[in-house]
Amino acid sequence: MIETWRWFGPSDSISLEMIAQAGASGIVTSLHEVPTGDVWTSEAIIERKQLINSNGLDWSVIESIPLHNDIKTRSGNFQQYIDNYKESIKNAGIAGVDTICYNFMPVVDWTRTNLNYKLANNSFALRFEMTDFVAYDVFMLKREGAENDYSDALKEKALGRLNKMSAEEKDLLEKNIIAGLPGGEGSYSRDSIKEAIDQFIQLGTEGLRQNLFLFLQDIIPVAEAHNVKMCIHPDDPPFQLFGLPRVVSTQEDARKLLAAVPSPANGLTMCAGSYGARGDNNLVAMVNEFSDRIYFVHLRNVIREDDGSFYESDHLKGDNDMVGLISALLDAEGKTGAKIPMRPDHGHLMADEIKAQNVKPGYSYMGRLKGLAELRGVIHAFTQIRRGSPL
Ligand code: DNO
């Protein structure tokens, strides 16, 4: 596997040098400064690539070229945005950056309710707590029809929870849920999110899926022509939020998507933490089934609770069988002969960084450094065993 690291561009407080020191050889980044929907020029991509190369690193994966909501709803200027997207894919291919991650999550990108969930060892993790989410959806946002989406017991718990929150805690909960997380798309106010939700709810699951497939039919031939591999990131979390449709949450969703446009340019991002937030997604079975279409991997673990809540645990200690997953990924590499870029996805906030003000939630240096080192150990051990060399 290729060890990569997500870098948020020249303004990231974690420098390319620090990333090289962490032992990664690949960079995962985006032109975050380009507004969603605009064309990425080949000049801009090449310039960023040269910056990365001059630090001895490669630009392994673009994460992400975000999709304008008009593409997802197939309304407004969607055709223009699709044309722009094709141009960006072509330009990435010309610049020699050949793997593009994207997602088709409606309205909100990845979502958590608590960005400072204290663990027993006094480090901090990201958490999605269903009760808090319901409290926000039903009682703060007051989304129309939200009360029909949850059980009475859950709503009662949520109300109890809300009544104990201070005004600051409520503000923070709202900010965590709708203001957008690092690398995510879309930042909303209470009014604007309601409007966006309405637009998507009318589409329904099959409507949204259809829009995704139509988008893929349009762009995949361009990717194929320019030797670019597209890899869709799953929904995070992989279940309905705000009553919105979800189309990349399960093994069956992934199967349908690959079958809809059967081209090697149409692939997947195996985000272990996202797919793995559902107990019914068997990650090893998914890797075995989609072995030749997984072009990018996020290695992250979670501890799940019965009501859908989860928190991000240590990379090797959680409900996902990380060692089994890595073994399956190495098998996939053995079959295809291609190395898969992986990144330690998120890490805990720990040690000196707890005091720092500028650490992006989930994207601490030390937490990811620890995660990467642990994962590297597993990969190294398997690789040695498979070669038949002593450990
Ligand atoms: C969270 C990430 C997301 C993801 C994008 C993919 O940490 O996994 O930001 O990169 O949604 O398009």
Side-chain angles (χ1 to χ4, degrees):
M1 271 186 255
I2 301 168
E3 293 177 23
T4 71
W5 186 279
R6 190 175 201 176
W7 178 62
F8 290 97
S11 64
D12 194 330
S13 58
I14 297 168
S15 66
L16 290 167
E17 186 178 73
M18 288 166 79
I19 297 174
Q21 288 171 0
S25 62
I27 289 295
V28 170
T29 194
S30 177
L31 298 182
H32 292 286
E33 63 280 14
V34 178
T36 299
D38 283 11
V39 173
W40 285 31
T41 63
S42 52
E43 293 76 23
I45 305 172
I46 289 167
E47 196 187 318
R48 190 61 50 87
K49 192 180 170 200
Q50 282 167 349
L51 177 64
I52 293 168
N53 293 160
S54 67
N55 283 270
L57 298 159
D58 292 324
W59 188 348
S60 308
V61 180
I62 293 175
E63 179 178 7
S64 303
I65 302 186
L67 269 69
H68 194 280
N69 265 345
D70 281 4
I71 299 181
K72 298 179 191 170
T73 54
R74 247 183 135 72
S75 63
N77 286 333
F78 74 94
Q79 198 54 58
Q80 181 63 54
Y81 288 125
I82 291 180
D83 290 344
N84 290 357
Y85 207 93
K86 288 186 195 166
E87 195 62 23
S88 300
I89 293 174
K90 186 180 107 196
N91 291 339
I94 292 170
V97 189
D98 67 357
T99 308
I100 302 177
C101 172
Y102 67 104
N103 76 73
F104 216 77
M105 289 183 243
V107 187
V108 277
D109 200 297
W110 65 295
T111 304
R112 300 288 182 272
T113 57
N114 185 349
L115 309 182
N116 278 303
Y117 179 63
K118 202 172 193 170
L119 301 175
N121 62 10
N122 291 336
S123 64
F124 296 88
L126 306 184
R127 173 169 168 81
F128 180 88
E129 184 152 340
M130 193 54 95
T131 316
D132 284 359
F133 188 82
V134 174
Y136 180 70
D137 192 17
V138 179
F139 303 110
M140 287 177 67
L141 182 64
K142 300 191 171 70
R143 174 175 64 84
E144 210 187 305
E147 60 284 359
N148 305 324
D149 288 352
Y150 309 104
S151 70
D152 288 344
L154 192 52
K155 281 184 285 186
E156 206 175 301
K157 235 172 113 188
L159 187 59
R161 181 105 186 169
L162 191 79
N163 288 338
K164 284 202 203 98
M165 280 184 208
S166 65
E168 291 77 47
E169 283 168 334
K170 286 182 194 164
D171 284 350
L172 184 62
L173 177 65
E174 173 156 63
K175 184 167 166 274
N176 291 346
I177 297 177
I178 70 173
L181 294 175
E185 299 135 39
S187 173
Y188 296 91
S189 66
R190 217 179 271 190
D191 286 335
S192 65
I193 200 166
K194 275 191 184 159
E195 218 176 281
I197 291 172
D198 278 350
Q199 238 195 330
F200 278 94
I201 287 202
Q202 285 159 19
L203 271 178
T205 306
E206 290 320 310
L208 184 68
R209 199 188 305 278
Q210 173 78 357
N211 291 355
L212 169 59
F213 293 175
L214 290 170
F215 168 70
L216 289 174
Q217 280 161 15
D218 248 340
I219 61 137
I220 291 296
V222 178
E224 207 175 309
H226 294 278
N227 294 318
V228 170
K229 290 169 288 195
M230 301 297 299
C231 44
I232 194 161
H233 187 282
D235 306 321
D236 184 3
F239 43 77
Q240 274 200 349
L241 293 181
F242 298 121
L244 290 162
R246 286 298 214 192
V247 293
V248 197
S249 293
T250 63
Q251 186 164 0
E252 183 56 22
D253 287 338
R255 194 177 286 138
K256 285 185 183 160
L257 178 137
L258 296 179
V261 183
S263 153
N266 182 22
L268 307 173
T269 295
M270 166 43 73
C271 178
S274 301
Y275 281 121
R278 283 178 74 116
D280 57 354
N281 277 335
N282 179 336
L283 304 183
V284 171
M286 291 178 80
V287 172
N288 290 340
E289 176 173 348
F290 308 127
S291 56
D292 58 347
R293 296 287 192 84
I294 294 176
Y295 298 137
F296 183 31
V297 182
H298 288 179
L299 293 177
R300 172 161 74 74
N301 222 326
V302 289
I303 301 227
R304 300 184 291 262
E305 288 155 42
D306 290 341
D307 65 357
S309 307
F310 60 87
Y311 73 88
E312 301 188 359
S313 55
D314 279 319
H315 286 76
L316 299 186
K317 259 194 261 157
D319 291 329
N320 294 326
D321 171 14
M322 190 58 76
V323 172
L325 176 65
I326 289 175
S327 174
L329 288 163
L330 292 172
D331 286 344
E333 287 188 334
K335 270 193 249 164
T336 62
K339 294 264 177 239
I340 308 174
M342 72 80 167
R343 67 173 175 86
D345 191 18
H346 306 175
H348 293 158
L349 183 66
M350 55 192 274
D352 283 359
E353 278 184 306
I354 293 176
K355 284 186 255 111
Q357 297 299 311
N358 57 352
V359 183
K360 291 187 167 50
Y363 290 95
S364 66
Y365 183 64
M366 293 187 205
R368 285 188 287 165
L369 189 68
K370 178 179 168 213
L372 178 61
E374 292 179 354
L375 297 166
R376 176 186 298 139
V378 176
I379 296 167
H380 186 73
F382 272 128
T383 309
Q384 294 282 76
I385 291 168
R386 281 160 198 235
R387 271 203 213 112
S389 327
L391 286 174

